Amino acid sequence: MALALKILLGLYILQALIKFINLFAVPYDIRIKRIAAYHHSQASKVFDHILLTLMAVLVALLAAVGLEHLSFITGLLVGLTLTQVLFHRFTQPLAPDRAPPPPVTPITTMSYAIQANPRLAWRELVIQTALFVWALVALITQGG
């Protein structure tokens, strides 16, 4: 079970690192077209269900191999706090040419704001990326 957990964690971390690279390597016009297509489809709901299922599987595998409660709670709080602070960086209204087309939902507005200027959250993104890289190295190099 530990190997399955490591593999799933490694794949999920790689996906997160690719998202980070795309945020700065892929031109805005391409990123925003992807975001628009995503928000105007049922894909987000399906993807959310998949992610929730994956999170349940990860926690179940972690519990099966021996969950260390202090590490888990610390990781949970750090992750949630980084996400909250990242969202708080996007307080300025979007320029009309960067605003989402109607119907506008709060999550669509946030997604467009992040795509319009990801550098506003550079500190949180650097911390997240450093943690992901460290975690991936730990998964690869540490036994257990």
Side-chain angles (χ1 to χ4, degrees), residues 5-141:
L5 179 59
K6 280 186 166 189
I7 290 169
L8 287 174
L9 288 171
L11 291 172
Y12 197 58
I13 290 167
L14 285 173
Q15 180 264 348
L17 290 171
I18 289 167
K19 279 178 66 174
F20 172 77
I21 291 167
N22 281 337
L23 197 56
F24 293 99
V26 175
Y28 170 78
D29 293 341
I30 294 171
R31 290 193 329 267
I32 206 64
K33 284 179 187 173
R34 291 178 185 167
I35 291 292
Y38 180 75
H39 283 288
H40 293 306
S41 72
Q42 292 296 314
S44 62
K45 290 180 183 178
V46 172
F47 188 65
D48 285 350
H49 290 303
I50 292 169
L51 281 179
L52 284 173
T53 302
L54 177 61
M55 295 305 105
V57 168
L58 290 176
V59 171
L61 285 171
L62 181 61
V65 300
L67 180 130
E68 204 292 307
H69 74 282
L70 290 179
S71 291
F72 180 80
I73 293 167
T74 302
L76 180 66
L77 292 175
V78 167
L80 291 173
T81 302
L82 279 172
T83 301
Q84 177 182 352
V85 174
L86 182 141
F87 283 177
H88 288 172
R89 298 292 179 208
F90 300 94
T91 58
Q92 299 300 313
L94 287 167
D97 65 324
R98 298 280 173 119
V104 179
T105 64
I107 192 66
T108 302
T109 302
M110 179 59 72
S111 293
Y112 272 64
I114 292 168
Q115 296 302 316
N117 199 355
R119 287 169 182 81
L120 290 174
W122 71 268
R123 293 163 288 223
E124 296 76 21
L125 293 170
V126 166
I127 292 169
Q128 286 179 350
T129 302
L131 290 171
F132 283 137
V133 169
W134 170 80
L136 191 58
V137 168
L139 282 172
I140 294 167
T141 61

